[in-house]
């Protein structure tokens, strides 16, 4: 119940003052599973689709979560699911989808809208593709058309220039790179759309698990770029889809 | 000269093949001052306004840069200018503007468009205001209306809730916070617009000059948030203005 | 022998001056097993219950330690025990207890007092539950009633508000969170009891194994909060039980 | 207005449903000064006394804040105030108090209750005294009697033993130490009260501004200890006063 | 050949000037195995015993090295040898010795002198024993009598005091501790002999693989202590044996 | 097509102005495999040989890449290939070469030129050999003669002096060392050729995976030395081959 | 009173059992100045000389401390004293001594013994001299003859070899170096005496205030070396004097 | 005296065997000033020019050093000299030269050879110029012609392309950049000469004093690049001059 309804019930005498106070404090909009509290109130803001971080959840927990979302008639979007988690869930929910490259586990929303606009996803190298695919599939799931442009790192910058016309079509650009992470700066200096940089843990030695590209991207001298966590393709894809929707539809909630 | 013009000049015999090759390679769009190369080609993408990072430039260099922009008929937007730099420049260019809180040094563009849409700028505390003002004034300079909402940190979260209606009007939200930097996550869980988090160096001890809020913001469990460098109000303001323009006008270059 | 007894023995001529000096220096209150020195003098301060950090001990060492405590008629509380350690010990000591989620290995004390007061244990997410359970079971073992409130992280802060009435009953609150670790600050701003924050290693990338929430919690702008080591549920649970006992019984040793 | 009052006003027809909804959302309990939002609702939880982090605030802002608290008839407790800030404020508010060692700036509360219980504050060395005094004066301001025990670091551990009887009287012990920060562990192994460890930035070289004692304290093998930020005497003093009050009065809000 | 011999040979005409120059440059004192250069000249300084860091060497390389030392009639002392390396070497060299706790692989020297003096090896906990044993066995191999005093960490400091008489007999004390690493400081404040502190990687979370005790030990406020690398029992044992020999025999090379 | 050819085609009417503009923008010189863009334009600069970072590529991707290079008639040089990758590729491309020590996977170039000049590769210890071999084989593949000088670390510096005459023949010296990484400084103070230092991850504890030698090498007080990434034998070998070629042939592209 | 005296007084009836217990607990051996507890019991172990870390103490505190030591008839040895502290103390205690290079402030002990043995102090460069002098003067104050050997860093290693004969006379060698800190390893490989390495904060950039040489020294592959804190000349000098005394006099307390 | 001369003197009876041994050990090639040992033997390898790191030396020391070099008839090259040092030295040595941008203090060598070849020095921004000038002037002093190409950072990469023809003429390229440090990678992918990357401390926040560009450059995916210390223009310039000389003259010592 939202505050308006609670107040009306109180004014009409259907509920007591104590009940009204209690309800106002508890109009929570979530479902308590004991080990998790499903945030159904997010659904209003996010196009009928929930997201789940699968790593660190037991297989049994994941099945319960998926069932609740399916039973609630909404889609589900899960990241960092293992092959083992997928197979366990599939035994219970046969229509679950899984992509082994991006580790995305998902249930399509029954009332998915057609994709709009354009988000470009670039990578510095081939080894960045799993993170880039997580970003791309997230953006697609949340309503954006996606252009992929992989292996265009700065060591051979002519490869990037060949893709520039496509990238410049996008409302938001995602630059995924490990090692020195220079792709974000270079792209951001060449396009006018917002750029979301994703450092990856690709590399070795003084890459320190992605610290090198993370710092590189945070210190970019190019305007119009921001950064998400190391390997966080999901975060970049979600944000790009938000911006893409704003560009296509103006101020409306994702 | 752009490639098309060069080709036409070559085809019409106005220039030789050697000249055409040379021009194609050098159609640079910048002005070389020796110590700096002014990037006039950015002007096309960015609404006729250039940006200058004033820290680390000598007073003499700064005067030359300002004069070139003024002579070129464009505005200028400078960040991190000291009081001393300002006074030196003002002696040469009396119409230069300076804000001592945000350290912004600027020349208004002669053909500035009216502000549109809405960007919200929030801070966790009072000490974050200089960074927040840099963000707000950047967003304003690049065409956005700005709502300020200062000192709404999570230690007294009811202060944030009282501003939520205003914040939810914005096309992009900037969350500026030092210390534990939790503001970004909390805001991002409460609004549907993209959130740009700016960690600040406010704090002491294990804040480590802003590392604590930087890491906190990068690890946010709330979707729809990205991060810029510590104390980088400019970066956040510029990016928010880009997104705001997309939301108001669709896909057009800032 | 305590100093008083030694002095009396000396005064009555039962022991020589040399013996008395030696005994006074050695009135140690521990038992030397060669590889470990069991601290039986802690028993006086801690309600008849010893604690053992099981990780890094061999199975054989662990059995000996458990047997000594059982033979001494006291309970035992062990943390970070592996399934393999448990099974090895159980073969020798059938009444040993083990919880695979929290990794707690314990022998109930024969003269356990009834639980008192209230300690609240909150988590940001589902993946933080193992650490939270270690905290909760520790607090229970050392005499506190415990209220669990899991998955109330700041990305959906309304879930936390729905639990606030319960949390506010507690004499001490434990906030367990990984990723950005903002839960501690938000809770601490909402309750008047002391808050013990436990950063967890849940997360990836720039979480750096728990550094992000650790720094976030150390830099909290909310009063009344302190921090224990990453993943140290035991430390938080023990401290909360101490505070809970103080609140219920005044100044008495745990 | 609290929710109960708002509901009664609505039921009695004094306010409309829209007004009631708006009031319920905005029953904020703070005062907006533009650059700061004074959290008067904290007053209920904290014995009529507000706290202000003075560093990073302008002298003018600080005067306004002090005047508001004085006008509201409540005391004020400010930390990290400079001599310059103090002198500026004193020119406006002559009864302001300042301690140059701890940098505490305060206005006594008109209805301060008598001090109760006992908090012990220990330091490893002489150079830790400024942080220890911030802790001690905070605990005193928030209602605790305080025992000081300075320069009892582990390099000459017999000095600590001579104070043990006094320290063992305390309901909470604060251990302030820089360099290797071992004081907390040693004290915690010797007393039954909760120990709050405060690492200080005293030291040089591999102390890294307090990282060494911070890590040392977080990794303590002694139960019953928690840690606050480097040099955060205030946080330790406030928390100790909370625990002391619990021990003396049972569950009551500070 | 040493320089004296070379000069004599040259003066007597046995070798030419060119040969002398070449020999003087190459009087190297090592044996080149291709993958390793055995430093036989160290033998003069070190009592006829060579040391080998076994980790990172192949089993085949290790066998060759052991054979060369055995054939040269000297002993060998190897650290960080795996069980697998041991078994492979034993198949070739049956009289090789191995201790699975300390991972020491050794060949006794045929002309080992009797042990002298005293080195004390203390640990904070049981999990530090493998490192402590590496230290103890190194000191023994290089000629020192060793007193072991394990599990005397500062959380129950009375256990340390009970061993003090023994520890004070030693010419050098080795303090091995993980977690907060306070043992070194406490011991160093209680004895007059040099103390060599060995941080261990025992611990979790903010121990960061031994950084916490390493920093703690480097910042000790107690005089007369120095530090070796994390888990470097060998280095501490070797140095303690050097000091022990100096104390027993005055200035003589080990 | 290079710009000259495109311009000629346009001037002669073979292609339209639009085609010319498009070609000028896209004269890219790479081949797009979807997951990778092979940089054939590098071939001109690098003696007909391509390099591939094999780690992080799937076996299937690696086979396709190798086939394309073989089909293009050029050699290939791959680093960090696993035994498993090698065996999978060999099943398709029987003439592929693999060295299990250095993990180099390669196809000789059909028109490989004879090796010239001299590059010296030194190591501090035996465990540094895999990195040193990667460097040595890289330098050889790109045309340099290589002198190996292993296990000459500073703990027994006379071993280095015995090799000095050989090292001083080289046009470029590669110093590979872990642990304290002092080899680079010592060598650089003794030779006149450029020294390329390669820190390795050999070591333990405070080596921190190679940070210790990396910092040591970056801070060298000896002139004429530069540093590559931890364990980056390839980078050092390639650079040394470049310098060697310059010394032998003057300014020519590798 | 020592335990023996207390026991005798009790046995003879001069003091009661309660008094005896109290005295036994408090036979502390220090003097409480309020802000500091002077550790006079150290005097027995340390040749009648106390040490004071002057940084972080007020001038007034320092005067009181010096006066107490002078009045007690013992010498005093203070480190890191500023010129300003010295001048303030000298106004009260005219015979105080000060060395501006090493920042040592001292009062000679009335019964200083003649210097014995030999300690060698080496530096890598000229800028390391202040730290080296602190070490040298400490060793001298605590009874050792000292040989200085400055500016013998590894960039020109022949300078070190020219000093080797002198260095090899020493019972303990102190190696002081910043930047890459290789001096310790090289020296340790060339001498048979224990080497104490002192990293200094000399350097810039990736020296990180001494982290580079600290890590380098901790990871030394040369046996017989240990490390003290960055810039801790005092610690090295004190330890070297301990070892020197052991070598000269056998097992006697410093 | 070199070994040959010593041997001849011995053989001819001019010196005794003891004298010969001593001379052979001491044929050092340096001059001992007490606080410094001038490395005259470097002169042979380095074109008659010595280098001095001026920071950390007293003015008096610097004057002595300059005088010795002048008296020895050689030039001198000093880095990081302050204006104050310069003025003090000039009072004694009027022909000393100083450049306030690069902080280079120098005495031209009387027999300086004409500059040869080409070294290119690029910077990302204007604030990097002081470091770049140190590099450029070092390369010039050690015999190279230098091309400067400043402010060509990746945010406006067309500025770099306009300089490419000039940069490609160079035998060695120095890329100086702060912030994200991407310049090195981009340049290295575009030229065939060796690239020496110099990270600078230009930037703020997560630049961490140059760590960001340092890591970025170490992780470059472009072949043919190596890195020197943060702000180490001298090191890059010296190395570039070495390589330039090799390219021009083949294998000859600098």
């Amino acid at each position: 119940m939202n505050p308006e309804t609670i107040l009306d019930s109180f004014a009409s005498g259907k509920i007591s003052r104590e009940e009204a106070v209690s309800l106002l404090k508890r109009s929570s909009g979530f479902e308590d599973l004991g080990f998790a509290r499903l945030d159904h109130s997010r659904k209003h803001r996010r196009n009928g689709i929930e997201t789940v971080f699968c790593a660190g959840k037991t297989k049994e927990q994941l099945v319960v979560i998926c069932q609740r979302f399916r039973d609630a008639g909404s889609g589900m979007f899960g990241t960092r699911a293992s092959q083992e988690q997928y197979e366990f869930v599939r035994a219970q929910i046969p229509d679950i989808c899984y992509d082994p490259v991006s580790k995305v586990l998902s249930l399509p929303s029954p009332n998915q809208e057609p994709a709009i606009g354009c988000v470009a996803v670039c990578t510095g190298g081939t080894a960045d593709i799993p993170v880039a695919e997580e970003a791309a599939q997230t953006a697609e799931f949340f309503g954006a058309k996606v252009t992929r442009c992989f292996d265009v790192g700065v060591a051979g910058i002519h490869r990037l220039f060949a893709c520039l016309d496509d990238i410049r079509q996008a409302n938001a650009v995602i630059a995924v790179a490990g090692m020195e992470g220079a792709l974000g700066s270079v792209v951001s200096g060449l396009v006018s759309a917002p750029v979301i940089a994703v450092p990856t843990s690709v590399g070795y030695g003084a890459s320190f698990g992605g610290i090198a590209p993370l710092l590189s991207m945070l210190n970019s001298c190019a305007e119009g770029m921001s950064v998400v966590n190391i390997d966080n393709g999901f975060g970049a894809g979600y944000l790009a889809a938000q911006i893409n929707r704003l560009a296509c539809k103006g101020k409306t909630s994702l």
Side-chain angles (χ1 to χ4, degrees), chain A:
Chain A
M1 272 202 281
N2 57 25
E4 287 78 0
T5 319
I6 298 169
L7 283 176
D8 289 344
S9 300
F10 170 57
S12 64
K14 286 185 194 157
I15 60 174
S16 70
R17 184 184 151 215
E18 287 68 31
E19 287 172 314
V21 170
S22 174
L23 279 169
L24 283 164
K25 286 183 176 165
R26 289 171 183 282
S27 58
S28 68
F30 64 84
E31 180 180 9
D32 191 348
L33 304 181
F35 60 85
R37 290 166 201 255
L38 302 186
D39 185 3
H40 291 303
S41 72
R42 274 192 231 185
K43 203 164 64 177
H44 295 282
R45 306 194 306 269
R46 290 180 185 161
N47 208 19
I49 294 158
E50 295 278 337
T51 60
V52 175
F53 184 72
C54 300
K57 293 196 172 58
T58 66
K59 292 175 297 189
E60 293 76 14
Q61 289 172 338
L62 205 51
V63 164
V64 173
I65 290 171
C66 292
Q67 286 171 331
R68 295 298 168 99
F69 283 125
R70 194 191 49 185
D71 296 352
S74 71
M76 188 210 65
F77 188 77
T79 59
R80 302 197 174 225
S82 65
Q83 183 76 26
E84 188 188 3
Q85 285 177 318
Y86 161 58
E87 285 167 10
F88 191 87
V89 172
R90 190 183 50 182
Q92 308 288 325
I93 305 175
D95 54 335
I96 197 85
C97 302
Y98 183 65
D99 171 49
V101 172
S102 63
K103 309 278 182 204
V104 165
L105 183 83
S106 60
L107 276 172
S109 180
N111 49 356
Q112 180 91 27
E113 300 176 15
I116 56 175
C118 178
V119 165
V121 180
C122 313
T123 75
T126 298
D128 302 314
I129 289 178
V131 176
E133 273 301 317
E134 189 187 87
Q137 297 188 23
T138 303
E140 288 170 341
F141 200 86
F142 289 94
K145 289 182 190 162
V146 170
T147 298
R148 284 159 175 86
C149 185
F150 294 164
D151 198 24
V152 293
V154 298
I157 207 165
H158 54 297
R159 299 173 300 179
L160 174 64
F161 290 156
C163 302
L164 262 186
D165 285 354
D166 289 345
I167 297 173
R168 283 180 169 147
Q169 303 301 317
N171 290 313
V173 181
I174 296 173
V176 182
M179 303 177 89
E180 81 269 66
L183 183 65
S185 289
V186 173
V187 168
S188 200
L190 292 168
V191 305
S192 66
V195 175
I196 305 161
V198 190
T200 71
S201 53
V202 169
Y204 63 90
S207 151
F208 299 133
I211 293 181
L214 171 62
L215 294 186
S216 177
M217 288 163 168
L218 284 168
N219 285 282
S220 174
C221 50
E223 297 99 333
M225 187 166 96
S226 60
V227 186
V228 296
N229 195 3
I230 299 164
D231 291 335
N232 186 7
F234 167 71
Y238 187 89
L239 181 55
Q242 274 183 311
I243 295 171
N244 181 58
R245 175 172 290 261
L246 279 171
C248 294
K249 303 205 166 178
K251 171 71 186 160
T252 68
S253 67
L254 184 57

